[in-house]
């Protein structure tokens, strides 16, 4: 029996053209955020630690300003609306797996996908600075302190029944790419896939992914 295709798609820098967390930090954060970002990319500190510390640099009073800013700069990558239509027509489950934060992920995606198909981090604005909450932490098979642990989410779906397709662009997608059946990559994820010899298909527009999936019989 053929496996059911299932898609796990990153948000920042994949669905949106820019990485929203980096954009937020560049616009709102003091210079200390740069060292934290470099630590995450070099894998010297975990994603969870780095993102927590970066957002702790921002006052909670900035919430509405940040939401408005992300709405302005959060341009969707070409072909995303068509990709949503394609997955619905073909009855392919689509989950957004994002290291982003609920207060800016949801407003951008609400018109495209139900929230119960979005895995992302949560937020608390009750203190002086923004506190990030981690509802999708690593399972027993992951020790990377991912924050929103993408491989742990993939493992919730039985590999005997699902062909797992990962779409992403950054270091936060690497661990999921390692256990995926098919990978669509751009930007930094391409570099890591090549370093680790993980098979991947490059893309810039979601229409390219649609055409490739059709080409391998997922149509």
């Amino acid at each position: 029996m053929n496996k059911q295709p299932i898609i796990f798609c990153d948000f920042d820098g994949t669905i949106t053209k820019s990485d929203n967390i980096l954009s937020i930090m560049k616009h709102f954060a003091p210079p200390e955020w740069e060292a934290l970002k470099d630590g995450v990319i070099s894998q010297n500190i975990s994603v969870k630690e780095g993102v927590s510390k970066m957002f702790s640099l921002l006052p909670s009073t900035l919430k509405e300003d940040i939401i408005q800013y992300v709405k302005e700069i959060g341009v969707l990558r070409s072909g995303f609306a068509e990709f949503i239509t394609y997955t619905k027509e073909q009855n392919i489950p689509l989950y957004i797996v994002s290291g982003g934060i609920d207060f800016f992920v949801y407003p951008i995606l609400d018109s495209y996908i139900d929230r119960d198909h979005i895995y992302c981090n949560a937020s608390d604005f009750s203190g002086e600075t923004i506190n990030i909450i981690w509802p999708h932490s690593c399972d027993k098979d992951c020790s990377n302190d991912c924050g929103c642990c993408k491989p742990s989410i993939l493992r919730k779906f039985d590999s005997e029944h699902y062909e797992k397709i990962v779409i992403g662009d950054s270091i936060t997608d690497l661990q999921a790419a390692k256990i995926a059946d098919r990978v669509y990559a751009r930007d930094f994820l391409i570099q890591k896939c090549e370093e680790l010899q993980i098979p991947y298909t490059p893309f810039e527009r979601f229409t390219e992914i649609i055409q490739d999936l059709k080409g391998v019989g997922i149509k």
Side-chain angles (χ1 to χ4, degrees):
M1 184 178 73
N2 291 334
K3 293 183 181 181
Q4 163 70 56
I6 185 170
I7 298 173
F8 304 90
C9 184
D10 176 51
F11 177 71
D12 289 293
T14 301
I15 292 174
T16 57
K17 288 186 177 181
S18 60
D19 185 303
N20 294 296
I21 290 180
L22 295 183
S23 296
I24 289 167
M25 293 301 147
K26 288 175 183 177
H27 193 75
F28 294 99
E32 296 94 299
W33 82 272
E34 290 270 10
L36 295 167
K37 177 260 296 180
D38 293 342
V40 171
I41 291 175
S42 64
Q43 297 178 275
N44 289 322
I45 61 174
S46 70
V47 173
K48 183 176 181 179
E49 180 183 355
V51 172
S52 287
K53 288 183 176 179
M54 279 191 276
F55 275 94
S56 73
L57 298 172
L58 303 178
S60 292
T61 53
L62 287 175
K63 178 180 180 180
E64 295 305 322
D65 292 335
I66 294 173
I67 292 173
Q68 184 58 38
Y69 176 70
V70 173
K71 284 182 177 179
E72 292 171 0
I73 60 102
V75 178
L76 299 183
R77 187 167 299 280
S78 176
F80 180 66
E82 293 91 334
F83 183 68
I84 291 288
T85 299
Y86 166 77
T87 59
K88 289 178 179 177
E89 289 176 348
Q90 303 303 320
N91 294 314
I92 301 172
L94 170 62
Y95 288 89
I96 309 305
V97 286
S98 172
I101 319 300
D102 56 0
F103 75 100
F104 64 80
V105 173
Y106 290 158
I108 293 177
L109 291 180
D110 272 342
S111 60
Y112 294 96
I113 190 164
D114 293 338
R115 291 188 181 187
D116 62 358
H117 275 231
I118 299 174
Y119 292 91
C120 67
N121 301 312
S123 51
D124 175 15
F125 293 87
S126 63
E128 289 188 6
T129 60
I130 300 174
N131 181 40
I132 305 303
I133 299 168
W134 311 95
H136 309 296
S137 296
C138 300
D139 63 14
K140 62 180 178 61
D141 295 314
C142 183
S143 58
N144 290 299
D145 205 22
C146 301
C148 180
C149 184
K150 299 183 182 187
S152 296
I153 292 167
L154 264 66
R155 281 191 284 270
K156 294 177 184 289
F157 297 85
D158 186 359
S159 295
E160 294 293 319
H161 296 95
Y162 290 103
E163 178 183 357
K164 300 175 185 180
I165 300 164
V166 165
I167 305 171
D169 78 307
S170 74
I171 190 69
T172 63
D173 304 300
L174 177 59
Q175 301 306 320
K178 289 179 180 179
I179 62 172
D181 297 300
R182 182 176 297 275
V183 176
Y184 292 95
R186 57 174 307 281
D187 201 47
F188 189 67
L189 184 59
I190 287 179
Q191 177 183 326
K192 299 306 292 184
C193 284
E194 290 181 348
E195 285 179 7
L196 299 173
Q197 298 184 318
I198 299 171
Y200 73 94
T201 300
F203 78 99
E204 280 298 323
R205 299 177 298 277
F206 276 93
T207 48
E208 295 172 314
I209 298 176
I210 295 171
Q211 291 306 312
D212 191 75
L213 289 173
K214 288 180 177 179
V216 296
I218 302 176
K219 56 185 178 179

